């Protein structure tokens, strides 16, 4: 039929059987033209159903394409006209000449339409049009050469047709070239607008690579990820699927629990029959309960995470599945083509054109394979990043709503690990998930093709493989167990590191660094031991891997030759088989790795399921009406007794309610219950309106003061100024560099306790809420500031007078002004009523009050308006409150502080005060309008330093040195050996196969045969053993290196001066410690192996090597910088996360979860774009390298065709199987050198902190005499100190003598230098001039530990560590249990500790969170009592305890420390009225020094301070 259609022969196979082969013209004009057209018409409808955006403007590129297609349309019309003219009704012209131009007319119209419609799409170039042009050009080639041949032969019958065809062909090539260019779209991200060809070759990424090569990339240079991959989109998709899956999982959990209960229920039932429950039955039940408790605690909703992830990402999975399938099938064409080429070389009379055809096929197959593989990888890695992002964001979101019970199970460190480590593990698995089926497919196909080559003897080889699989399996499961152990060790280590860094100041004060260093080192030792075992196991796996293909090929060939004397190994069989064995090596090697990473991921999956499936906060027991408690009982943990019991309370709107009670009576718990942070037992609480919350320990974010106060609200300048004034912050802002734009460190590290609390209060006041829950906001401020705040904010005339206020307080003198007082005792309300009513009732409250009021003078009742308003207004300027040790370094920039000397201040007229204050106001209002210059010292946290450019050679040297030169030499040697053995065995094989020419099957000598097999096997074995040795050595080397670097890092961080910790966020330091392992646990091993393994690689491809090197130089610059950006953008995610977890109650109370979520999403997206870009850079490199590799194979095969006459089959096999291998090897090489570069970045970052400057040595040659200091005399001789070299002096020449056993009180307003004094004694600050002499020894001349172990401090912030109570009191085990109990008794904690289940060994939570703040303060006091040193420094240590305990403590201190020299830094003057002397500091100088009586007698600074606090004479210790 087609013959008639063309009017010529359609197919004639004899045409192919000649040196000048050709296809019949009819075949070319029908089939080869209809294939591309059919393709286009089939896929065109899909084009019109794509989502649209707004129409884009017309570009030159679009016009050019349309014009060219227009020309094609005209050409088709001309051709049709020609045919009609030629035919003129005689019917001689074949039908095909009509149909083709007509088809083309329709097609070109369609193409015009498609190109026009693409203007509404983001991607202007359609992939199937590009494919259509490629197909059309390829299919046209045949007709092109046929027509040229006809013309050359002088056949001019169809000259016009030929010319039209040639012009048409040229236009199509032009259009294809044009469609390779991408059109710029509206979006910044070029990957969206890239053309199809640019997409598959990743050319759109060139611009970044070039930029990165010219100068280091910054975050701005990296494009954002597209909308679909943004965190918000991913999470919302994930959560829609999550809800359903989690529900199912929870139901399954209930079923499991019911089943378990039924089983246990039957057993218990038998016991309960006889009611006389004897003791042992009770004990049994207890044990059962305990067991059951641990049993049910373990159970959680399982196996929903994978399903949810699958449902979320199944489209990417499907796409990548298809690509991988195509790639795997193409992979098996290589050995077949190799076989054809070898037989081509062996047959002397084969046609040359077949050789060229095979070469071209070789190239095309390889190209397709590359594109499929790279695109597949990109999809998989993108999937991996998306999974990681989803997990990180979900963990963050979960953390915001997690119930307290669930939260108690995880420390901050562990939750950060979920985000970092576990999310990463899942990411690794999802990237390679397809290998599960693809490996099986590859193994099956290899075996099938091997069977065709070698017949049943393959089974011997397969048998060996099957034997090795269980061995690998056993090793892999062993590895999983180690992995789980390791994760736990790592959690522990990072947790301790976190605490060390948080409590660094305490470690320095108490000289405890060695104890904690040992703790970390012990965990690290275990961790490294595990890593070592892990490494050895991995080496075994690698050894088996190397051995498998060698063993298999040796055994298969031997069996093949030995089974039947007719089997002679020839080149075709041998090299085809070798290529197949090489294909086999990959899936076999990936299997154990896949299994082990699946196992690791399954551990992570369970951890994540447990966390994400945990209970949310249950706030159902809290309704929103005005505050009303009805029979409410709440607990922190359902298993324990309720902390709040049967509370009934009704509070009217606008009331001020005070809650009082002793330490640990449940005041803070009551607040938490109102915020919904506790678990409801029965009853409920109703609350109406928005809540604002001020916690007892203020939570401050890393940011400016302004950000902290606004807390995400709009700025209302007038209200903002009111709040600042009311919270007594104006004066602090004068002192702080940059005013309210001063940056606050992590956890508010550079603010004093009082400043933090006032900022926390300002934050709440600024939010216009209805109900204010204030948990002891006045504990850290001194009396008159407290009074100012009460009057201006909390009291009957304060800013919040119309709001409902719930105030926990220890300050008795405010109680007369509150509407109602609630007295708590053991979690229940013992009394409530107004101040007068409670006094009249003469209950517990009245009794307590009496004891304190007795000692107070007539002003003890603290009448409210004692001074004129003017002076009261001024109260806010004189805050006598303290800036703690660590602040000053950052904040005290003296130039801009408005200090007047105190005396002048107190004399000055009230009028001047008023103007000063007004000028201050206007100043603060006007600053924003002026240019915002950063004041010196305002910026606290330096931006994280990003290294740029090449990693310095010294870093490599440092790392290699840590590995050890000796091991490196042997590793290199072993690798070279294995490589030589590999080449040797291939050469030997080609010699072996040439035997098949010399001998025919019948006369092959047995001795020759055995020698061939023996040597081949021996070479294989050498290869395996060399690799094993190299691996084991490198494992030892790397673990050694890791150990050394960790030791150096830890030592150095512990010896860094305090100022380093003030300016470096903890997250950054922890990040270095966490980053240690990613470098050493194995990612870096392979690179070093490969470097060494391939350094001896084939040198015969010089030209290609030049291309490789240049591509690599370009790529490494970009990749390395992206790696750095990735690390730097990752730290903030974790810092922000730990900040959020520590401030959860505040965030929840203000209901700002959404805002924090958004911020977290922005941070994750920033990190994600770096990772994404890094993935693309890898693909960009791979496509280019594979192209070079494919060219090598192509040219090798071309050479073989050209020099066919001089080559035999075995040489062809040897060359080509090596060329196929070379491409992979070179890819690995470049890949690995780049990996090393980028991984060494981690070493570089660690190194940065190994080189932090240290403080003075801990112990020097000069040791103080034994028993020093025996008297405790302290002399300051013209002592000067500054915080950092660029700042001014803080203490400006202090000279004074403190005699033995004197009690000194130090006072002075914020920034006067009080804490600098204590810091100087401990040498946290080193002297700039002068000296301090203690008992005749200059403290600068001895080691820091010798000094610090002899002094004791009770710091302002109580810092505890997780671990037992005992370790917190005595980390070195220097004291007996009796001494510890004695200390606890003295601080009135003995009964509390004795009531705990494990007594002294009671485990504290992270930062001691399971104790109240008062209890923590008391523990810190006990710590000091244990040390019994001659010199005691107290930093206002009793701010958070109730008055009764405060009295007891004061008595204890007076009695126990009577033999000491004591220096007390006071916030409340009454605490130092019984000192021997008082030192008044101002602006770094001593203004007054003398006994309190002397100083009160004459009007000086101290006299005025005392008057303000209502103290008239030395013995009136008013509270």
């Amino acid at each position: 039929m087609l013959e008639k259609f063309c009017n010529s022969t359609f197919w004639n196979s004899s045409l192919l059987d000649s040196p000048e082969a050709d296809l019949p013209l009819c075949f070319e004009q029908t089939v080869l033209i209809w294939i591309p057209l059919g393709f286009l018409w089939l896929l065109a409808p899909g084009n019109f159903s794509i989502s649209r955006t707004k129409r884009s403007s017309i570009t030159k590129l679009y016009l050019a394409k349309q014009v060219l297609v227009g020309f094609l349309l005209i050409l088709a019309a001309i051709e049709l006209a020609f045919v009609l003219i030629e035919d003129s009704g005689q019917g001689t012209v074949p039908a095909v000449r009509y149909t083709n131009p007509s088809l083309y007319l329709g097609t070109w119209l369609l193409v015009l339409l498609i190109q026009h419609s693409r203007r509404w799409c983001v991607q202007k170039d359609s992939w199937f049009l590009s494919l259509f042009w490629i197909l059309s050009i390829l299919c046209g080639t045949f007709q092109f050469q046929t027509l040229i041949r006809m013309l050359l032969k002088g056949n001019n019958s169809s000259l016009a047709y030929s010319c039209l065809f040639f012009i048409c062909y040229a236009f199509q090539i032009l259009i294809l070239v044009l469609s390779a260019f991408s059109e710029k779209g509206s979006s910044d991200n070029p990957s969206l607008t890239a053309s199809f060809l640019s997409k598959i070759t990743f050319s759109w990424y060139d611009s970044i690579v070039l930029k990165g090569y010219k100068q280091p990339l910054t975050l701005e240079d990296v494009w954002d990820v597209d909308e679909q991959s943004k965190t918000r989109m991913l999470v919302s998709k994930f959560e829609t699927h999550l809800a359903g899956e989690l529900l199912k999982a929870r139901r399954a959990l209930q079923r499991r629990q019911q089943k378990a209960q039924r089983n246990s229920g039957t057993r218990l039932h038998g016991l309960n029959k006889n009611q006389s429950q004897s003791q042992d039955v009770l004990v049994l039940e207890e044990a059962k309960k305990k067991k059951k408790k641990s049993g049910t605690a373990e159970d959680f909703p399982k196996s929903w995470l994978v399903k949810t992830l699958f449902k979320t990402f199944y489209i990417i999975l499907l796409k990548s599945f298809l690509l991988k399938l195509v790639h795997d099938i193409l992979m098996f064409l290589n050995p077949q083509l190799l076989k054809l080429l070898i037989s081509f070389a062996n047959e002397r009379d084969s046609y040359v054109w077949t050789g060229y055809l095979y070469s071209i096929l070789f190239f095309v197959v390889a190209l397709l394979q590359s594109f499929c593989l790279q695109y597949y990888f990109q999809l998989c890695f993108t999937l991996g990043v998306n999974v990681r992002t989803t997990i990180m964001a979900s963990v963050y979101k979960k953390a915001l709503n997690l119930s307290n019970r669930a939260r108690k199970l995880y420390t901050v460190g562990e939750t950060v690990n979920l985000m970092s480590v576990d999310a990463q593990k899942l990411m690794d698995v999802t990237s390679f998930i397809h290998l599960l089926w693809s490996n099986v497919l590859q193994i099956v196909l290899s075996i099938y093709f091997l069977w065709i080559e070698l017949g049943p003897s393959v089974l011997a080889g397969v048998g060996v493989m099957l034997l090795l699989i269980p061995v690998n399996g056993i090793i892999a499961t062993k590895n999983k167990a180690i992995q789980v152990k390791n994760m736990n060790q790592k959690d522990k280590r990072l947790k301790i590191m976190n605490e060390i860094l948080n409590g660094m100041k305490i470690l320095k004060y108490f000289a405890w660094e060695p104890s904690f260093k040992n703790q970390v080192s012990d965990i690290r030792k275990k961790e490294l031991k595990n890593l070592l075992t892990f490494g050895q196991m991995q080496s075994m796996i690698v050894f088996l891997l190397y051995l498998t293909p060698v063993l298999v090929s040796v055994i298969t060939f031997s069996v093949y030759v030995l089974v039947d004397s007719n089997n002679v190994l020839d080149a075709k069989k041998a090299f085809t088989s070798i290529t197949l064995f090489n294909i086999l090596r990959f899936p076999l090697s990936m299997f154990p790795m896949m299994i082990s990473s699946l196992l690791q991921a399954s551990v992570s999956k369970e951890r994540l399921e447990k966390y994400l499936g945990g209970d949310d906060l249950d706030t159902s027991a809290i309704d929103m009406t005005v505050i009303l408690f009805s029979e409410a009982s709440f607990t922190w943990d359902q298993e324990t007794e309720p902390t709040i019991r049967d509370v009934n309370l009704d509070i009217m709107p606008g009331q001020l309610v005070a809650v009082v009670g002793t330490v640990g009576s449940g005041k803070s718990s009551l607040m938490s219950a109102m915020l919904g942070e506790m678990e409801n037992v029965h009853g409920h609480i109703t609350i109406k309106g928005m809540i604002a919350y001020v916690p007892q320990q203020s939570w401050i974010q890393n940011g400016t003061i302004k950000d902290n106060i606004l807390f995400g609200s709009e700025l209302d300048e007038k209200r903002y100024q009111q709040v600042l004034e009311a919270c007594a912050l104006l004066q602090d802002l004068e002192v702080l560099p940059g005013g309210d734009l001063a940056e606050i460190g992590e956890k508010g590290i550079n603010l004093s306790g009082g400043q933090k609390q006032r900022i926390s209060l300002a934050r709440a006041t600024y939010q216009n809420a209805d109900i204010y829950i204030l948990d002891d906001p006045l504990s850290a401020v001194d009396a008159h500031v407290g009074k100012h705040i009460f009057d201006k904010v909390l009291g009957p005339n304060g800013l919040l007078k119309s709001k409902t206020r719930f105030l926990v307080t220890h300050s008795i003198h405010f109680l007369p002004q509150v509407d109602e007082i609630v007295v708590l005792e053991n979690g229940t309300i013992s009394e409530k009523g107004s101040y007068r009513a409670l006094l009249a009732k003469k209950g517990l409250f009245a009794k307590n009050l009496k004891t304190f009021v007795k000692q107070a003078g007539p002003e003890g009742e603290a009448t409210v308006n004692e001074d004129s308003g003017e002076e009261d207004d001024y109260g806010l300027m004189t805050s006598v409150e303290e800036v703690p040790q660590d602040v000053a370094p950052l904040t005290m920039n003296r130039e801009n502080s408005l200090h007047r000397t105190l005396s002048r201040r107190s004399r000055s007229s009230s009028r001047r005060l008023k103007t000063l204050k007004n000028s201050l106001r206007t100043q603060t209002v006007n600053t924003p309008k002026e240019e915002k210059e950063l004041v010196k010292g305002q910026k606290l946290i330096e931006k994280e330093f990003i290294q740029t450019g090449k990693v310095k050679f010294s870093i490599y040297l440092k790392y290699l040195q840590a590995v050890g030169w000796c091991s490196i030499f042997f590793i290199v040697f072993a690798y070279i050996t294995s490589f030589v053995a590999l080449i040797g065995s291939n050469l030997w094989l080609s010699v072996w196969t040439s035997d098949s020419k010399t001998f025919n099957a019948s006369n092959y000598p047995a001795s020759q045969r055995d020698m061939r097999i023996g040597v081949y096997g021996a070479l294989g074995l050498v290869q395996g053993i060399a690799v094993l040795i190299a691996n084991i050595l490198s494992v030892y080397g790397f673990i050694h290196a890791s150990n050394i670097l960790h030791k150096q890092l830890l030592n150095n961080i512990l010896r860094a001066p305090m100022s380093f910790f003030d300016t470096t966020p903890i997250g950054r330091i922890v990040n270095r410690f966490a980053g240690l392992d990613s470098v050493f646990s194995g990612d870096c091993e392979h690179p070093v192996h490969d470097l060494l393994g391939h350094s001896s690689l084939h040198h015969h491809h010089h030209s290609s090597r030049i291309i490789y090197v240049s591509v690599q130089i370009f790529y490494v610059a970009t990749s390395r910088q992206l790696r750095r950006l990735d690390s730097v953008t990752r730290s903030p995610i974790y810092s922000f996360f730990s900040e959020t977890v520590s401030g959860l109650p505040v965030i929840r109370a203000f209901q700002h979860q959404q805002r924090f979520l958004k911020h977290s999403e922005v941070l994750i997206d920033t990190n994600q774009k770096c990772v994404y870009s890094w993935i693309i850079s890898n693909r960009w490199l791979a496509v280019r390298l594979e192209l070079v590799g494919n060219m090598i194979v192509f040219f090798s095969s071309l050479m073989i065709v050209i020099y066919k006459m001089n080559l035999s089959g075995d040489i062809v096999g040897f060359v080509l199987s090596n060329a196929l291998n070379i491409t992979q090897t070179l890819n690995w090489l470049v890949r690995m050198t780049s990996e090393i570069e980028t991984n060494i970045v981690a070493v570089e970052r660690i190194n940065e902190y190994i080189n932090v400057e240290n403080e003075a040595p801990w112990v020097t040659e000069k040791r103080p005499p034994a028993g020093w200091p025996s008297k405790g005399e302290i002399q300051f001789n013209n002592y000067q100190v500054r915080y950092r070299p660029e700042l001014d002096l803080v203490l400006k020449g202090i000279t004074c003598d403190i005699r033995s056993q004197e009690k000194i009180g130090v006072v002075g307003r914020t920034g006067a230098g009080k804490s600098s004094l204590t810091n100087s004694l401990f040498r946290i600050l080193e002297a700039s001039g002068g000296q301090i002499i203690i008992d005749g020894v200059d403290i600068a001349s001895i080691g820091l530990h010798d000094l610090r172990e002899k002094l004791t401090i009770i710091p302002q912030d109580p810092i505890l560590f997780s671990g037992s109570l005992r370790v917190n009191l005595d980390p070195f085990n220097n004291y007996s249990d009796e001494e510890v109990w004695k200390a606890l008794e003295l601080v009135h904690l003995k009964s509390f500790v004795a009531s705990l289940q494990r007594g002294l060994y009671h485990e504290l939570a992270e930062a001691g969170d399971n104790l109240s703040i008062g209890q923590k303060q008391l523990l810190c006091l006990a710590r000091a009592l244990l040390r019994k040193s001659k010199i005691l420094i107290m930093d206002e240590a009793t701010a958070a305890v109730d008055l009764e305990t405060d009295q007891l403590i004061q008595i204890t201190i007076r009695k126990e420390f009577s033999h000491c020299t004591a220096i007390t830094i006071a916030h409340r003057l009454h605490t130092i009225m019984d000192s021997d002397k008082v030192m008044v500091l101002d602006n770094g100088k001593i203004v007054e020094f003398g006994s309190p009586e002397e100083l009160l007698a004459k009007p000086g600074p101290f006299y005025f301070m005392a008057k303000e606090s209502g103290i008239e004479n030395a013995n009136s210790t008013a509270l």
Side-chain angles (χ1 to χ4, degrees), residues 657-907:
V657 181
V659 181
V660 295
T662 55
V663 169
S665 60
K667 301 185 295 296
S668 297
S669 296
L670 188 67
M671 305 289 132
S672 298
M674 286 166 66
L675 295 171
E677 294 281 325
M678 293 176 72
E679 303 212 5
N680 173 276
V681 183
H682 58 77
H684 60 272
I685 305 176
T686 39
I687 293 176
K688 187 184 209 163
M690 288 279 301
I691 295 185
Y693 171 57
V694 181
Q696 187 171 7
Q697 249 186 325
S698 37
W699 170 74
I700 304 285
Q701 280 184 282
N702 181 352
T704 64
I705 293 183
K706 195 172 199 164
D707 295 339
N708 267 293
I709 295 178
L710 295 182
F711 203 56
S713 310
E714 292 293 306
L715 173 64
D716 166 358
E717 192 60 50
K718 183 162 156 260
R719 180 170 175 79
Y720 180 63
Q721 290 303 329
Q722 269 180 339
V723 170
L724 285 181
E725 199 269 351
C727 294
L729 279 166
L730 286 177
Q731 192 213 357
D732 298 283
L733 294 184
E734 290 170 46
V735 180
L736 288 168
D740 62 357
L741 297 179
E743 191 185 355
I744 306 174
E746 263 190 306
K747 308 211 165 120
I749 189 152
N750 49 331
L751 296 175
S752 70
Q755 285 169 325
K756 282 195 253 189
Q757 220 149 13
R758 295 203 305 268
I759 288 175
S760 179
L761 183 65
R763 172 199 300 155
T765 314
Y766 186 81
Q767 307 294 325
N768 205 347
D770 308 311
I771 296 165
Y772 283 79
I773 298 183
L774 310 156
D775 196 349
D776 205 1
L778 304 176
S779 61
V781 296
D782 35 293
H784 64 274
V785 176
K787 183 168 161 315
H788 169 91
I789 290 178
F790 188 82
D791 295 345
K792 290 287 172 95
V793 184
L794 310 174
N797 310 320
L799 280 177
L800 304 179
K801 56 175 181 276
S802 58
K803 314 286 190 188
T804 313
R805 288 142 299 165
F806 216 94
L807 173 72
V808 172
T809 183
H810 290 304
S811 317
I812 286 194
H813 43 285
F814 298 133
L815 295 181
Q817 302 175 56
V818 304
D819 301 324
E820 184 160 22
I821 297 172
V822 174
V823 185
L824 274 187
E825 198 180 6
N826 286 337
T828 54
I829 296 184
S830 61
E831 320 181 76
K832 58 174 185 241
S834 67
Y835 183 72
R836 296 229 160 78
L838 287 182
L839 278 185
K841 206 167 150 193
K842 296 198 167 52
L844 180 75
F845 175 74
K847 222 167 46 214
N848 279 352
L849 203 63
K850 279 270 180 351
T851 26
F852 297 115
V853 176
K854 270 202 197 93
Q855 304 140 2
E859 270 141 275
E861 243 84 280
T863 49
V864 186
N865 294 342
E866 42 197 351
D867 307 326
S868 69
E870 241 1 92
E871 192 151 344
D872 190 53
D873 238 6
Y874 195 60
L876 94 143
M877 304 302 283
T878 54
S879 97
V880 194
E881 164 218 3
E882 187 34 319
V883 172
Q885 296 64 346
D886 34 343
V887 177
L890 323 157
T891 56
M892 296 308 140
N893 215 342
R894 307 287 163 228
E895 301 103 298
N896 50 0
S897 56
L898 295 166
H899 282 313
R900 310 270 172 289
T901 50
L902 301 173
S903 47
R904 193 163 90 224
R905 196 175 244 186
S906 38
R907 279 197 297 272

Side-chain angles (χ1 to χ4, degrees), residues 519-753:
Q519 278 188 42
V520 177
S521 302
D522 289 346
I523 295 181
R524 183 72 188 159
K525 270 199 200 104
K526 287 183 198 152
E527 210 179 338
L528 287 178
K529 212 173 113 196
N530 281 338
L531 270 178
L532 192 60
T533 336
F534 190 69
Q536 289 164 337
M537 300 276 188
Q538 286 301 72
S539 315
M540 277 310 294
I541 289 184
V542 172
F543 169 60
L544 289 175
L545 274 184
Y546 260 83
L547 218 50
T548 309
V550 175
L551 259 180
V552 170
S553 51
V554 170
I555 288 175
T556 310
F557 288 154
S558 315
V559 171
Y560 177 70
V561 178
L562 295 173
V563 165
D564 182 350
S565 59
N566 290 334
N567 289 352
V568 176
L569 203 56
D570 59 2
K572 197 159 77 170
K573 279 193 171 16
F575 285 106
T576 312
S577 310
I578 289 280
T579 318
L580 284 165
F581 282 134
N582 277 340
I583 292 181
L584 251 187
R585 175 182 268 173
F586 180 73
L588 283 176
S589 66
M590 288 313 284
F591 239 86
M593 279 166 64
M594 261 315 287
I595 289 169
S596 73
S597 65
L598 266 177
L599 293 175
Q600 289 178 21
S602 69
V603 178
S604 295
K605 177 194 79 119
E606 277 172 16
R607 286 166 51 129
L608 285 164
E609 285 183 339
K610 187 171 175 181
Y611 187 80
L612 294 174
D615 300 331
D616 282 350
L617 257 193
D618 176 25
T619 48
S620 56
I622 296 167
D623 272 343
M624 296 285 172
T625 58
V626 185
I627 308 182
L628 168 75
F629 287 74
S630 37
E631 291 293 331
S633 290
F634 283 83
T635 178
W636 285 108
D637 189 348
Q638 290 291 6
E639 267 89 21
T640 55
E641 289 294 296
T643 325
I644 298 291
R645 292 198 292 271
D646 305 325
V647 172
N648 283 315
L649 248 189
D650 191 357
I651 292 164
M652 295 288 105
Q655 264 192 333
L656 168 55
V657 181
V659 181
V660 295
T662 55
V663 169
S665 60
K667 301 185 295 296
S668 297
S669 296
L670 188 67
M671 305 289 132
S672 298
M674 286 166 66
L675 295 171
E677 294 281 325
M678 293 176 72
E679 303 212 5
N680 173 276
V681 183
H682 58 77
H684 60 272
I685 305 176
T686 39
I687 293 176
K688 187 184 209 163
M690 288 279 301
I691 295 185
Y693 171 57
V694 181
Q696 187 171 7
Q697 249 186 325
S698 37
W699 170 74
I700 304 285
Q701 280 184 282
N702 181 352
T704 64
I705 293 183
K706 195 172 199 164
D707 295 339
N708 267 293
I709 295 178
L710 295 182
F711 203 56
S713 310
E714 292 293 306
L715 173 64
D716 166 358
E717 192 60 50
K718 183 162 156 260
R719 180 170 175 79
Y720 180 63
Q721 290 303 329
Q722 269 180 339
V723 170
L724 285 181
E725 199 269 351
C727 294
L729 279 166
L730 286 177
Q731 192 213 357
D732 298 283
L733 294 184
E734 290 170 46
V735 180
L736 288 168
D740 62 357
L741 297 179
E743 191 185 355
I744 306 174
E746 263 190 306
K747 308 211 165 120
I749 189 152
N750 49 331
L751 296 175
S752 70

Side-chain angles (χ1 to χ4, degrees), residues 4 66 96 204 228 243 633 649 846 953 1037 1113 1196 1255 1277 1330 1419:
K4 268 201 212 120
Q66 290 292 56
V96 72
W204 54 271
Q228 290 307 306
S633 290
L649 248 189
F953 188 63
I1113 290 172
S1196 308
E1255 47 183 7
N1277 296 338
L1419 271 184

